[in-house]
């Protein structure tokens, strides 16, 4: 009897290489459920931009792990987040992804009615049930905070430490918070938003964002602007390393033409640099001299992830109606190229040939740290 | 005329449900510090107008958004079709007094006089 030609291969890999996760981790509903429970529903999750909720009763509903979360502002303008679940019989309160509630949130089933603080203010025959507490039967709240102009939520009973998770990711990447503060991200406005519905597991998208081994192959425009990406080394490997614009490149645009007004807080050493940050588990930030590209991922299932990407500019640039297209098009192309690559991988994740996973070359070895991070939460 | 509550019991811009009367009434205090009193129960379905949305001289039922005039009890649009009764209010020395209307109240289906 002869051994199968690949017998024993799974036991070890060449010295230059590290193993990826096995294919099942990208397709198994049980794995995805565990990630939802231990990662997305446990830690801080970046949900929407603060400007998506301009006034009391403005709302967005977002998927956080397995939960639908309703975000709004109270009558006093304070951010509020609730589980989008009626306390009566469980109907979803808001089925629209966004909108403006007039006076209250009313369940469309039996008209249980909640104010913008989540308090139960009315229900048919409620006056004859004086023992039903208006706070007690209010919408269940989630923790909410605003940072970098975004609304972050935490579904845990006791919120995770924002400092040792989200903020630590910035420190790990940029070395000091001041290196991010120079961009004053919270003061910027959304100039453009593009939503991508990606048929791939969220981890494939994170892994893709963390490495640049693929850049020279699938990102011709980006590699023109940032020639060092052709060396395949990760932009996110070295602390506070920014990739330099190529010679003759005047701005972070699809054809290297001059960009928009430069962010005023930047020192000259950041004038022609690109920085990329991954804030695990679902945020990617790109910093360039005249704008910030901010991705939020919403894992919808093992094989589907919605990505909302915002291009943020100075308020005066957005107000001026300046043409943002050359600026937006560069990273829109990068996104489409990346997501197409991720979608190409997804079907192979359930292949027998990938059951033991693949391998990471040295310029991808830091992805193993991401795998360790996932494993430390889920296992 | 009966004493209903103190002025401080009612937050400006809100209403207070009073269950010591039959049927219960709602006392409203506008942002301009005027006081009004209506039957508290919407004429369409059992809901407390004191929990409604007060704006200017009208209160909007929290359930189905018919609005009632604080001065007359008149309703603007369906689903409620009948007015609520308006009661005469007098404010003296920080106390709110009401003379209850003697008209027959319009209560919604399933709500009877005496039920609180």
């Amino acid at each position: 009897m002869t051994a199968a030609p690949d017998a024993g291969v799974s036991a070890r890999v060449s010295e230059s290489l590290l193993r990826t996760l096995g294919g099942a981790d990208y397709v198994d509903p049980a794995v995805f459920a565990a990630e939802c429970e231990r990662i997305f529903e446990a830690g801080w999750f970046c949900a929407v931009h603060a400007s998506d909720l301009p006034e009391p009763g403005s709302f967005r509903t977002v998927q956080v792990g397995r939960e639908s979360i309703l975000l709004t502002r109270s009558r006093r303008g304070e951010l509020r987040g609730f589980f989008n679940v009626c306390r009566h019989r469980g109907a979803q309160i808001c089925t629209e992804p966004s909108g403006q509630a007039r006076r209250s949130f009313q369940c469309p089933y039996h008209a249980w009615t909640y104010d913008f603080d989540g308090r139960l203010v009315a229900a048919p025959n409620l006056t004859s049930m004086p023992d039903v507490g208006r706070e007690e039967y209010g919408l269940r709240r989630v923790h909410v905070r605003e940072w970098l102009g975004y609304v972050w939520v935490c579904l845990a009973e006791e919120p995770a430490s924002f400092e040792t998770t989200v903020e630590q990711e910035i420190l790990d990447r940029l070395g000091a918070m001041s290196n991010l503060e120079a961009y004053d991200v919270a003061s910027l406005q959304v100039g453009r938003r593009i939503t991508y519905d990606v048929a791939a597991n969220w981890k494939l998208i994170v892994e893709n964002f963390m490495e640049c081994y693929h850049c020279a192959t699938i990102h011709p425009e980006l590699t023109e602007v940032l020639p060092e990406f052709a060396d395949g080394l990760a932009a996110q490997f070295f602390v506070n390393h920014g990739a330099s614009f190529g010679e003759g490149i005047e701005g972070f645009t699809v054809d290297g033409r001059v960009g928009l007004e430069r962010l005023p807080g930047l020192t000259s050493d950041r004038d022609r640099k690109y920085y990329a940050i991954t804030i695990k588990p679902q945020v990617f930030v790109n910093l360039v001299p005249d704008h910030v590209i901010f991705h939020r991922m919403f894992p919808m299932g093992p094989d589907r992830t919605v990505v909302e990407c915002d291009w943020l500019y100075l308020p005066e640039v957005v107000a001026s109606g300046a043409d943002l297209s050359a600026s937006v098009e560069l990273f829109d192309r990068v996104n489409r190229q990346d997501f197409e690559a991720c979608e190409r991988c997804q079907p192979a994740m359930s292949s027998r040939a990938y059951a033991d996973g693949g391998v990471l070359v040295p310029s991808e070895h830091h992805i193993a740290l991401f795998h360790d991070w996932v494993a430390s939460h889920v296992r | 005329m009966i004493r209903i509550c103190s002025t401080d019991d009612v937050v400006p811009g809100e209403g207070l449900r009073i269950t010591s009367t039959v049927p219960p009434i709602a006392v409203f205090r506008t942002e301009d510090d005027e006081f009004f009193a209506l039957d508290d129960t919407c004429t369409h379905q059992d809901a407390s107008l004191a929990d409604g949305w007060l704006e200017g001289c009208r209160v909007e039922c929290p359930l189905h958004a018919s609005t009632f005039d604080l001065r007359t009890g008149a309703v603007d649009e369906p689903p409620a079709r009948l007015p609520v009764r308006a009661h005469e209010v007098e404010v003296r020395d920080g106390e709110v007094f009401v003379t209850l209307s003697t008209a027959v109240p319009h209560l919604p289906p399933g709500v009877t006089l005496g039920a609180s």
Side-chain angles (χ1 to χ4, degrees), chain B residues 37-66:
Chain B
L38 301 177
D39 280 348
D40 184 53
T41 307
C42 179
T43 57
H44 163 244
Q45 187 178 30
D46 180 9
S48 168
L49 295 180
D51 288 327
W53 190 283
L54 196 60
E55 200 165 74
C57 231
R58 303 195 74 88
V59 62
E60 180 181 308
C61 175
L63 278 190
H64 302 105
S66 292

Side-chain angles (χ1 to χ4, degrees), chain A residues 3-58:
Chain A
D6 59 351
V9 167
S10 66
R12 61 177 194 282
V13 294
S14 306
E15 256 178 45
S16 303
L17 306 175
L18 295 176
R19 280 219 166 281
T20 67
L21 300 172
D25 281 11
Y26 300 84
V27 293
D28 185 346
V31 171
F32 183 73
E35 290 167 346
C36 287
E37 183 190 337
R38 310 278 180 79
I39 296 175
F40 303 116
E41 298 164 20
W44 286 98
F45 188 103
C46 188
V48 299
H49 195 258
S51 67
D52 293 327
L53 306 171
E55 54 188 284
S58 304

Side-chain angles (χ1 to χ4, degrees), chain A residues 83-93 107 112 114 139:
Chain A
F83 288 89
N84 188 13
V85 175
C86 184
R87 294 297 308 282
H88 172 220
R89 296 269 300 285
Q92 213 168 58
I93 302 281
C107 179
W112 276 40
Y114 305 88
L139 294 175

Side-chain angles (χ1 to χ4, degrees), chain B:
Chain B
M1 184 172 290
I2 48 174
R3 180 193 169 275
I4 290 296
C5 62
S6 297
T7 53
D8 290 346
D9 294 337
V10 195
V11 178
E14 292 188 13
L16 178 68
R17 176 176 161 94
I18 304 291
T19 52
S20 56
T21 60
V22 178
I25 65 169
V27 174
F28 297 100
R29 181 176 183 175
T30 67
E31 297 285 0
D32 298 333
D33 229 19
E34 278 192 281
F35 285 78
F36 296 95
L38 301 177
D39 280 348
D40 184 53
T41 307
C42 179
T43 57
H44 163 244
Q45 187 178 30
D46 180 9
S48 168
L49 295 180
D51 288 327
W53 190 283
L54 196 60
E55 200 165 74
C57 231
R58 303 195 74 88
V59 62
E60 180 181 308
C61 175
L63 278 190
H64 302 105
S66 292
T67 78
F68 297 87
D69 190 311
L70 298 182
R71 293 157 301 195
T72 65
V75 65
D76 65 338
E77 59 179 43
R81 297 181 182 281
L82 299 170
V84 290
R85 298 180 308 168
H87 309 287
E88 199 180 308
V89 177
E90 203 176 313
V91 177
R92 255 183 300 160
D93 304 327
E95 303 292 319
V96 180
F97 296 86
V98 165
T99 305
L100 289 174
S101 163
T102 54
V104 177
H106 298 295
L107 296 173
V111 176
T112 51
L113 282 175
S116 66

Side-chain angles (χ1 to χ4, degrees), chain A residues 198-240:
Chain A
V198 187
N201 184 273
W202 68 279
K203 297 190 294 298
L204 289 176
I205 300 175
V206 173
E207 292 159 10
N208 169 275
F209 193 74
M210 288 181 76
E211 53 95 355
C212 206
Y213 189 48
H214 65 272
C215 288
T217 305
I218 73 170
H219 298 318
E221 303 88 352
L222 184 63
T223 311
E224 276 296 314
V225 174
L226 305 170
E228 71 175 69
F229 275 16
D231 71 8
L233 288 175
Q236 296 196 48
F237 187 67
F238 307 101
V239 174
N240 202 31

